Amino acid sequence: MTDAVPTPEGPTPEGKGLAKSAGALAGLKVIDLTRVLGGPYCTMILSDHGAEVVKIEPPQGDEVRDWGPPFVEGSASYFIGVNRNKRSLALDLGKPEGRAVLLRLLEGADVLIENYKPGAMEKWGMGYQEVLSKRFPTLVHCRVSGFGPDGPLGSLPGYDAVIQAMVGLMSINGNADTGPLRMGTPIVDLATGLYSAIAILMALQERNRSGQGQFLDMSLHDCGMALLHPQAANYFLNDRRPKATGNPHPNISPYSKYRTATCEVFLAVGNDPAFRKFCDFLSLKSLPDDARFRTNGDRLTNRDQLTEIIEARLAAEDGHDLCDRLLKAGVPAGPVLHVDEAMNAAHTAHREMVTELGAYKGLGTPIKMSRTPGGTRAAPPRFNEHGDDILARHGFTADEVDELKAKGIVVGTRRT
């Protein structure tokens, strides 16, 4: 593991998808009290682009270190996947001395992000309105919670799959045979991380004008609901309960998965000119003038019939070759790949979407910037890996650090 930050002037460590600059957020200091996924995903986005992220773990550690197998050096893939480029300090915030350390770490910090139960920071005498905003007026404090601090579900715990169920996401996933289905990725947690990163950057931009920080109230519930497009828009317009349609798009046809001789492919034919081009390509030139398929509305109404015609035409095609030819002809299409196939695809390598540094391997950053590209600077940290250095950089003497360790405030080995 390394904490070196490669710069344009200095040597770049060997590896793929590495940061080639200090990053667009170089100089930004983030104190990260989050665990599990939404918050850590947010802070990885910031750290990928140069922010200094001090990840403060509880004495038991971030619980996703145990969410495996697979494991490496005692940490599960779930932790490794969202915690690169961060520095780890294990601190017992349940004790007053631990909170005193946190306050010293917040000096000069730009962002505090935490996902404690709403009210926990206030109970500890560290609420934003009463304490932090007065002591650190430029601080942006982002709280990630399940349902927010108030309302009928205020302060109650929230988890990705539960939120998927409660906001309607499961009801629109799957089909009539499966019934409501949890999405395969923790989409609510990931979206909350993304929205939180956007919110933090918005608040920092506003701070440039006002000179003031502010509090950001981010909830899994709200972020999950924000993903309900176009189903919510359809419901608001027609007052009908959206149904799960499986692979077919609820508003567009042909926009679904189809069988070929070698693999399944996904076709996304989004408008009438594209449908005509698609039909010309496949020598189905009569279809656009067929009364059943002239407009997108017609094609939706007669989707089953259109699917039969398309699959009959594709039955002898090599799906991979077909998709290459369709894309080059301007028709959106792609083979349905497994994760291992996608990770090893040529375009994945070209876009540096797999990043490697020593033994570490993960997904690269999708944010491509011309002057200040981000990327991997350091592998995910071991538990309390940087504790001594973090404290020393914040003015703690060696004797103070030893005392904090002796009292169990700074924790070197995970508690069970």
Side-chain angles (χ1 to χ4, degrees), residues 59 90-92 95 402-411 415:
L91 195 62
D92 189 345
K95 298 179 180 178
D402 288 342
E403 184 178 357
L404 289 169
K405 291 179 179 178
K407 291 182 176 180
I409 306 302
V410 173
V411 183
R415 296 178 189 166

Side-chain angles (χ1 to χ4, degrees), residues 191-401:
T192 302
L194 289 165
Y195 279 121
S196 296
I198 294 169
I200 287 168
L201 296 176
M202 286 180 176
L204 292 171
Q205 175 68 15
E206 193 280 335
R207 189 181 71 174
N208 289 335
R209 298 193 300 271
S210 68
Q212 296 180 315
Q214 58 181 302
F215 183 80
L216 311 178
D217 174 15
M218 304 299 299
S219 79
L220 299 178
H221 173 270
D222 298 355
C223 294
M225 292 206 79
L227 300 176
L228 285 167
H229 186 80
Q231 287 81 8
N234 292 344
Y235 170 71
F236 293 144
L237 197 62
N238 63 22
D239 202 32
R240 296 175 185 169
R241 175 180 289 177
K243 297 180 180 178
T245 58
N247 287 300
H249 195 288
N251 293 58
I252 308 171
S253 181
Y255 199 110
S256 187
K257 183 181 71 169
Y258 301 88
R259 292 186 294 269
T260 71
T262 57
C263 67
E264 293 179 308
V265 302
F266 204 98
L267 305 176
V269 183
N271 53 48
D272 294 342
F275 182 64
R276 187 170 294 277
K277 181 183 290 187
F278 169 73
C279 292
D280 285 346
F281 183 90
L282 293 177
S283 299
L284 297 172
K285 298 183 179 182
S286 64
L287 286 190
D289 297 319
D290 188 314
R292 298 171 297 172
F293 311 129
R294 282 177 186 155
T295 69
N296 181 65
D298 296 329
R299 295 191 290 275
L300 272 178
T301 300
N302 300 288
R303 175 157 44 202
D304 291 344
Q305 294 164 284
L306 180 58
T307 296
E308 288 183 15
I309 294 171
I310 292 174
E311 290 202 326
R313 171 62 183 81
L314 301 185
E317 293 279 355
D318 177 340
H320 296 277
D321 177 68
L322 172 68
C323 288
D324 285 344
R325 290 187 288 119
L326 281 170
L327 283 172
K328 290 172 182 174
V331 179
V336 179
L337 301 179
H338 294 284
V339 171
D340 58 313
E341 295 173 312
M343 294 302 103
N344 290 287
H347 199 70
T348 299
H350 178 78
R351 296 294 296 174
E352 295 189 333
M353 281 309 298
V354 172
T355 178
E356 297 182 50
L357 179 60
Y360 168 73
K361 189 173 185 178
L363 289 172
T365 176
I367 301 171
K368 307 295 196 285
M369 304 181 75
S370 63
R371 288 191 301 102
T372 57
T376 298
R377 293 177 168 80
R382 296 186 298 273
F383 180 74
N384 195 48
E385 179 179 354
H386 308 98
D388 287 4
D389 183 61
I390 290 168
L391 294 172
R393 289 178 58 200
H394 287 83
F396 288 84
T397 67
D399 288 343
E400 287 179 304
V401 173

Side-chain angles (χ1 to χ4, degrees), residues 109-123:
D110 299 284
V111 178
L112 168 67
I113 177 169
E114 45 93 1
N115 61 352
Y116 291 114
K117 180 180 178 181
M121 294 289 285
E122 289 77 6
K123 181 180 178 181

